[in-house]
Amino acid sequence: MSWPAGEAALVTGAASGIGLGVARALVAEGTRVALVDVDEARLAEAEKSLRDAGGTVLAVPFDISDIDRWETVADRAEEALGPVSLLCNVAGVNGGGAADRTPLQVWRWVYGVNIDAQFASVAAFLPRFKSRGGRAHVLNTASVAGVVPMAGVAAYASSKFASTGLSMVLREELEGTDIGVSLLIPGAVATPINFNAGEAEAKLLGRRMEPAVAERNSALLAQGADPDRVGEQVVEAVRQGRFVIVTHREWAPFVARAHQEIERAYEEFDGRHGPDPVATAMAAGEHTISS
């Protein structure tokens, strides 16, 4: 048996899509799994299917953006399954549109699910990981929209950029410990995110969802990767301690284009202000920023 066999994990967004795929892969490895999702009906179905497959699982219906409840949820998961050593932040929503066409209410909802909940879950579990010692791991899910700027989805893309940044910082802060960090950057995966988010956004704004829009947005996703195969890939990468996990090679040129522009700006700058003492100290291996 190899890690995380015999461990306990918590997976958000576990009622469908990549979250359910990750939960299935973990159950297949012999991991006990707390399944978190806001959709109680689908979550109950997922719990039953995983139990029927021989898994030890616990369904925890929960709106992950309710950040004040994360400690309670962590306690419940650990009371039922034992100490959690693998936190998988998979849940996410898409909402709004272009920056000037996104209501602040929708912006805050997207951020609440996509990044505030990731921070709150880490704040709940990381002290537990540190106090217990031993191997532990945090998986955060961003998106290619978190490394490549995408017009028309301002709230989603910027929140996913924040997830990328949070994960990079966590890796730096946990360097030299037994706590690993991985960042999942999925491309198109056949998940119901557009329908689920469309329904939730419509409810938030007190209107009916336009199914034609959701169907149009979901058409390409439906041709994407199988979420169960992505789940298997995630568990494999986490076991191996890999940081970046991608699902499609085709995004490489877009990533390079975005980041080469930044690199070029540094290369072409004339250095008129002299050397930066913080960067110089960091290059020498000194930590210059403290809390």
PDB file of all heavy atoms in Angstrom, residues 170-194:
ATOM      1  N   LEU A 170       1.613  28.942  -0.657  1.00  0.00           N
ATOM      2  CA  LEU A 170       1.576  27.821   0.281  1.00  0.00           C
ATOM      3  C   LEU A 170       2.776  26.904   0.088  1.00  0.00           C
ATOM      4  O   LEU A 170       3.389  26.454   1.059  1.00  0.00           O
ATOM      5  CB  LEU A 170       0.284  27.014   0.092  1.00  0.00           C
ATOM      6  CG  LEU A 170      -0.960  27.493   0.828  1.00  0.00           C
ATOM      7  CD1 LEU A 170      -2.144  26.617   0.449  1.00  0.00           C
ATOM      8  CD2 LEU A 170      -0.750  27.470   2.337  1.00  0.00           C
ATOM      9  N   ARG A 171       3.104  26.621  -1.164  1.00  0.00           N
ATOM     10  CA  ARG A 171       4.253  25.752  -1.426  1.00  0.00           C
ATOM     11  C   ARG A 171       5.526  26.363  -0.844  1.00  0.00           C
ATOM     12  O   ARG A 171       6.333  25.663  -0.236  1.00  0.00           O
ATOM     13  CB  ARG A 171       4.423  25.507  -2.922  1.00  0.00           C
ATOM     14  CG  ARG A 171       5.628  24.623  -3.214  1.00  0.00           C
ATOM     15  CD  ARG A 171       5.746  24.254  -4.664  1.00  0.00           C
ATOM     16  NE  ARG A 171       5.954  25.394  -5.537  1.00  0.00           N
ATOM     17  CZ  ARG A 171       6.469  25.297  -6.763  1.00  0.00           C
ATOM     18  NH1 ARG A 171       6.815  24.112  -7.250  1.00  0.00           N
ATOM     19  NH2 ARG A 171       6.616  26.372  -7.513  1.00  0.00           N
ATOM     20  N   GLU A 172       5.704  27.679  -1.027  1.00  0.00           N
ATOM     21  CA  GLU A 172       6.890  28.337  -0.488  1.00  0.00           C
ATOM     22  C   GLU A 172       6.896  28.277   1.041  1.00  0.00           C
ATOM     23  O   GLU A 172       7.927  28.013   1.662  1.00  0.00           O
ATOM     24  CB  GLU A 172       6.938  29.798  -0.951  1.00  0.00           C
ATOM     25  CG  GLU A 172       7.157  29.985  -2.436  1.00  0.00           C
ATOM     26  CD  GLU A 172       8.512  29.464  -2.889  1.00  0.00           C
ATOM     27  OE1 GLU A 172       9.520  29.814  -2.268  1.00  0.00           O
ATOM     28  OE2 GLU A 172       8.546  28.687  -3.870  1.00  0.00           O
ATOM     29  N   GLU A 173       5.741  28.532   1.641  1.00  0.00           N
ATOM     30  CA  GLU A 173       5.667  28.557   3.098  1.00  0.00           C
ATOM     31  C   GLU A 173       5.873  27.182   3.717  1.00  0.00           C
ATOM     32  O   GLU A 173       6.330  27.072   4.863  1.00  0.00           O
ATOM     33  CB  GLU A 173       4.323  29.142   3.542  1.00  0.00           C
ATOM     34  CG  GLU A 173       4.166  30.615   3.204  1.00  0.00           C
ATOM     35  CD  GLU A 173       2.842  31.206   3.648  1.00  0.00           C
ATOM     36  OE1 GLU A 173       1.931  30.413   4.001  1.00  0.00           O
ATOM     37  OE2 GLU A 173       2.710  32.440   3.638  1.00  0.00           O
ATOM     38  N   LEU A 174       5.543  26.123   2.977  1.00  0.00           N
ATOM     39  CA  LEU A 174       5.625  24.762   3.510  1.00  0.00           C
ATOM     40  C   LEU A 174       6.868  24.012   3.038  1.00  0.00           C
ATOM     41  O   LEU A 174       6.999  22.814   3.307  1.00  0.00           O
ATOM     42  CB  LEU A 174       4.356  23.983   3.128  1.00  0.00           C
ATOM     43  CG  LEU A 174       3.069  24.520   3.762  1.00  0.00           C
ATOM     44  CD1 LEU A 174       1.846  23.863   3.153  1.00  0.00           C
ATOM     45  CD2 LEU A 174       3.088  24.325   5.279  1.00  0.00           C
ATOM     46  N   GLU A 175       7.750  24.722   2.350  1.00  0.00           N
ATOM     47  CA  GLU A 175       8.978  24.082   1.874  1.00  0.00           C
ATOM     48  C   GLU A 175       9.766  23.512   3.053  1.00  0.00           C
ATOM     49  O   GLU A 175       9.914  24.155   4.102  1.00  0.00           O
ATOM     50  CB  GLU A 175       9.846  25.096   1.129  1.00  0.00           C
ATOM     51  CG  GLU A 175      11.086  24.494   0.506  1.00  0.00           C
ATOM     52  CD  GLU A 175      11.919  25.516  -0.251  1.00  0.00           C
ATOM     53  OE1 GLU A 175      11.562  26.712  -0.228  1.00  0.00           O
ATOM     54  OE2 GLU A 175      12.918  25.113  -0.861  1.00  0.00           O
ATOM     55  N   GLY A 176      10.242  22.290   2.897  1.00  0.00           N
ATOM     56  CA  GLY A 176      11.014  21.649   3.952  1.00  0.00           C
ATOM     57  C   GLY A 176      10.184  20.917   4.984  1.00  0.00           C
ATOM     58  O   GLY A 176      10.727  20.351   5.935  1.00  0.00           O
ATOM     59  N   THR A 177       8.847  20.923   4.814  1.00  0.00           N
ATOM     60  CA  THR A 177       7.975  20.184   5.724  1.00  0.00           C
ATOM     61  C   THR A 177       7.465  18.929   5.020  1.00  0.00           C
ATOM     62  O   THR A 177       7.752  18.694   3.842  1.00  0.00           O
ATOM     63  CB  THR A 177       6.770  21.033   6.162  1.00  0.00           C
ATOM     64  OG1 THR A 177       5.829  21.144   5.069  1.00  0.00           O
ATOM     65  CG2 THR A 177       7.212  22.430   6.581  1.00  0.00           C
ATOM     66  N   ASP A 178       6.672  18.139   5.743  1.00  0.00           N
ATOM     67  CA  ASP A 178       6.059  16.942   5.166  1.00  0.00           C
ATOM     68  C   ASP A 178       4.687  17.237   4.573  1.00  0.00           C
ATOM     69  O   ASP A 178       3.942  16.312   4.241  1.00  0.00           O
ATOM     70  CB  ASP A 178       5.928  15.846   6.233  1.00  0.00           C
ATOM     71  CG  ASP A 178       7.272  15.265   6.640  1.00  0.00           C
ATOM     72  OD1 ASP A 178       8.162  15.200   5.775  1.00  0.00           O
ATOM     73  OD2 ASP A 178       7.415  14.880   7.815  1.00  0.00           O
ATOM     74  N   ILE A 179       4.356  18.519   4.458  1.00  0.00           N
ATOM     75  CA  ILE A 179       3.050  18.905   3.908  1.00  0.00           C
ATOM     76  C   ILE A 179       3.247  19.361   2.467  1.00  0.00           C
ATOM     77  O   ILE A 179       3.930  20.353   2.209  1.00  0.00           O
ATOM     78  CB  ILE A 179       2.405  20.028   4.734  1.00  0.00           C
ATOM     79  CG1 ILE A 179       2.294  19.603   6.202  1.00  0.00           C
ATOM     80  CG2 ILE A 179       1.021  20.371   4.171  1.00  0.00           C
ATOM     81  CD1 ILE A 179       1.874  20.720   7.135  1.00  0.00           C
ATOM     82  N   GLY A 180       2.686  18.621   1.549  1.00  0.00           N
ATOM     83  CA  GLY A 180       2.817  18.945   0.137  1.00  0.00           C
ATOM     84  C   GLY A 180       1.671  19.795  -0.368  1.00  0.00           C
ATOM     85  O   GLY A 180       0.612  19.892   0.268  1.00  0.00           O
ATOM     86  N   VAL A 181       1.872  20.416  -1.514  1.00  0.00           N
ATOM     87  CA  VAL A 181       0.850  21.246  -2.156  1.00  0.00           C
ATOM     88  C   VAL A 181       0.825  20.902  -3.633  1.00  0.00           C
ATOM     89  O   VAL A 181       1.879  20.746  -4.262  1.00  0.00           O
ATOM     90  CB  VAL A 181       1.149  22.755  -1.988  1.00  0.00           C
ATOM     91  CG1 VAL A 181       0.070  23.597  -2.678  1.00  0.00           C
ATOM     92  CG2 VAL A 181       1.258  23.128  -0.512  1.00  0.00           C
ATOM     93  N   SER A 182      -0.367  20.773  -4.174  1.00  0.00           N
ATOM     94  CA  SER A 182      -0.533  20.575  -5.621  1.00  0.00           C
ATOM     95  C   SER A 182      -1.550  21.573  -6.140  1.00  0.00           C
ATOM     96  O   SER A 182      -2.482  21.967  -5.433  1.00  0.00           O
ATOM     97  CB  SER A 182      -1.011  19.153  -5.941  1.00  0.00           C
ATOM     98  OG  SER A 182      -0.019  18.199  -5.666  1.00  0.00           O
ATOM     99  N   LEU A 183      -1.363  21.961  -7.394  1.00  0.00           N
ATOM    100  CA  LEU A 183      -2.257  22.901  -8.066  1.00  0.00           C
ATOM    101  C   LEU A 183      -2.782  22.242  -9.326  1.00  0.00           C
ATOM    102  O   LEU A 183      -2.022  21.978 -10.261  1.00  0.00           O
ATOM    103  CB  LEU A 183      -1.513  24.185  -8.417  1.00  0.00           C
ATOM    104  CG  LEU A 183      -2.274  25.216  -9.247  1.00  0.00           C
ATOM    105  CD1 LEU A 183      -3.456  25.775  -8.460  1.00  0.00           C
ATOM    106  CD2 LEU A 183      -1.347  26.345  -9.690  1.00  0.00           C
ATOM    107  N   LEU A 184      -4.077  21.952  -9.346  1.00  0.00           N
ATOM    108  CA  LEU A 184      -4.709  21.364 -10.522  1.00  0.00           C
ATOM    109  C   LEU A 184      -5.152  22.480 -11.458  1.00  0.00           C
ATOM    110  O   LEU A 184      -5.881  23.387 -11.058  1.00  0.00           O
ATOM    111  CB  LEU A 184      -5.914  20.509 -10.104  1.00  0.00           C
ATOM    112  CG  LEU A 184      -6.764  19.934 -11.233  1.00  0.00           C
ATOM    113  CD1 LEU A 184      -5.946  19.020 -12.145  1.00  0.00           C
ATOM    114  CD2 LEU A 184      -7.976  19.194 -10.668  1.00  0.00           C
ATOM    115  N   ILE A 185      -4.686  22.410 -12.714  1.00  0.00           N
ATOM    116  CA  ILE A 185      -5.030  23.407 -13.726  1.00  0.00           C
ATOM    117  C   ILE A 185      -5.746  22.688 -14.869  1.00  0.00           C
ATOM    118  O   ILE A 185      -5.141  22.366 -15.894  1.00  0.00           O
ATOM    119  CB  ILE A 185      -3.767  24.132 -14.239  1.00  0.00           C
ATOM    120  CG1 ILE A 185      -2.989  24.738 -13.066  1.00  0.00           C
ATOM    121  CG2 ILE A 185      -4.127  25.221 -15.238  1.00  0.00           C
ATOM    122  CD1 ILE A 185      -1.686  25.404 -13.470  1.00  0.00           C
ATOM    123  N   PRO A 186      -7.035  22.409 -14.703  1.00  0.00           N
ATOM    124  CA  PRO A 186      -7.743  21.671 -15.744  1.00  0.00           C
ATOM    125  C   PRO A 186      -8.109  22.546 -16.938  1.00  0.00           C
ATOM    126  O   PRO A 186      -8.400  23.737 -16.792  1.00  0.00           O
ATOM    127  CB  PRO A 186      -9.005  21.176 -15.026  1.00  0.00           C
ATOM    128  CG  PRO A 186      -9.224  22.168 -13.932  1.00  0.00           C
ATOM    129  CD  PRO A 186      -7.863  22.670 -13.529  1.00  0.00           C
ATOM    130  N   GLY A 187      -8.071  21.926 -18.104  1.00  0.00           N
ATOM    131  CA  GLY A 187      -8.650  22.526 -19.294  1.00  0.00           C
ATOM    132  C   GLY A 187     -10.105  22.078 -19.363  1.00  0.00           C
ATOM    133  O   GLY A 187     -10.802  22.038 -18.348  1.00  0.00           O
ATOM    134  N   ALA A 188     -10.558  21.716 -20.551  1.00  0.00           N
ATOM    135  CA  ALA A 188     -11.945  21.279 -20.716  1.00  0.00           C
ATOM    136  C   ALA A 188     -12.124  19.881 -20.128  1.00  0.00           C
ATOM    137  O   ALA A 188     -11.468  18.927 -20.536  1.00  0.00           O
ATOM    138  CB  ALA A 188     -12.320  21.278 -22.196  1.00  0.00           C
ATOM    139  N   VAL A 189     -13.004  19.775 -19.168  1.00  0.00           N
ATOM    140  CA  VAL A 189     -13.353  18.505 -18.545  1.00  0.00           C
ATOM    141  C   VAL A 189     -14.874  18.399 -18.583  1.00  0.00           C
ATOM    142  O   VAL A 189     -15.579  19.391 -18.363  1.00  0.00           O
ATOM    143  CB  VAL A 189     -12.835  18.410 -17.102  1.00  0.00           C
ATOM    144  CG1 VAL A 189     -13.194  17.060 -16.472  1.00  0.00           C
ATOM    145  CG2 VAL A 189     -11.325  18.627 -17.058  1.00  0.00           C
ATOM    146  N   ALA A 190     -15.382  17.219 -18.880  1.00  0.00           N
ATOM    147  CA  ALA A 190     -16.827  17.026 -19.055  1.00  0.00           C
ATOM    148  C   ALA A 190     -17.532  17.053 -17.700  1.00  0.00           C
ATOM    149  O   ALA A 190     -17.854  16.012 -17.116  1.00  0.00           O
ATOM    150  CB  ALA A 190     -17.088  15.704 -19.774  1.00  0.00           C
ATOM    151  N   THR A 191     -17.777  18.255 -17.203  1.00  0.00           N
ATOM    152  CA  THR A 191     -18.445  18.445 -15.919  1.00  0.00           C
ATOM    153  C   THR A 191     -19.691  19.309 -16.119  1.00  0.00           C
ATOM    154  O   THR A 191     -19.808  20.021 -17.125  1.00  0.00           O
ATOM    155  CB  THR A 191     -17.522  19.149 -14.910  1.00  0.00           C
ATOM    156  OG1 THR A 191     -17.442  20.542 -15.240  1.00  0.00           O
ATOM    157  CG2 THR A 191     -16.127  18.529 -14.910  1.00  0.00           C
ATOM    158  N   PRO A 192     -20.601  19.312 -15.139  1.00  0.00           N
ATOM    159  CA  PRO A 192     -21.807  20.146 -15.249  1.00  0.00           C
ATOM    160  C   PRO A 192     -21.635  21.543 -14.669  1.00  0.00           C
ATOM    161  O   PRO A 192     -22.614  22.167 -14.260  1.00  0.00           O
ATOM    162  CB  PRO A 192     -22.836  19.337 -14.448  1.00  0.00           C
ATOM    163  CG  PRO A 192     -22.030  18.683 -13.381  1.00  0.00           C
ATOM    164  CD  PRO A 192     -20.686  18.368 -14.017  1.00  0.00           C
ATOM    165  N   ILE A 193     -20.414  22.069 -14.622  1.00  0.00           N
ATOM    166  CA  ILE A 193     -20.175  23.349 -13.949  1.00  0.00           C
ATOM    167  C   ILE A 193     -21.036  24.479 -14.508  1.00  0.00           C
ATOM    168  O   ILE A 193     -21.557  25.307 -13.760  1.00  0.00           O
ATOM    169  CB  ILE A 193     -18.668  23.734 -14.005  1.00  0.00           C
ATOM    170  CG1 ILE A 193     -18.443  25.037 -13.204  1.00  0.00           C
ATOM    171  CG2 ILE A 193     -18.165  23.848 -15.431  1.00  0.00           C
ATOM    172  CD1 ILE A 193     -16.985  25.418 -13.049  1.00  0.00           C
ATOM    173  N   ASN A 194     -21.224  24.512 -15.820  1.00  0.00           N
ATOM    174  CA  ASN A 194     -21.989  25.625 -16.392  1.00  0.00           C
ATOM    175  C   ASN A 194     -23.463  25.563 -16.016  1.00  0.00           C
ATOM    176  O   ASN A 194     -24.082  26.592 -15.733  1.00  0.00           O
ATOM    177  CB  ASN A 194     -21.820  25.654 -17.916  1.00  0.00           C
ATOM    178  CG  ASN A 194     -20.452  26.165 -18.325  1.00  0.00           C
ATOM    179  OD1 ASN A 194     -19.908  27.073 -17.716  1.00  0.00           O
ATOM    180  ND2 ASN A 194     -19.869  25.564 -19.346  1.00  0.00           N
TER     181      ASN A 194
END
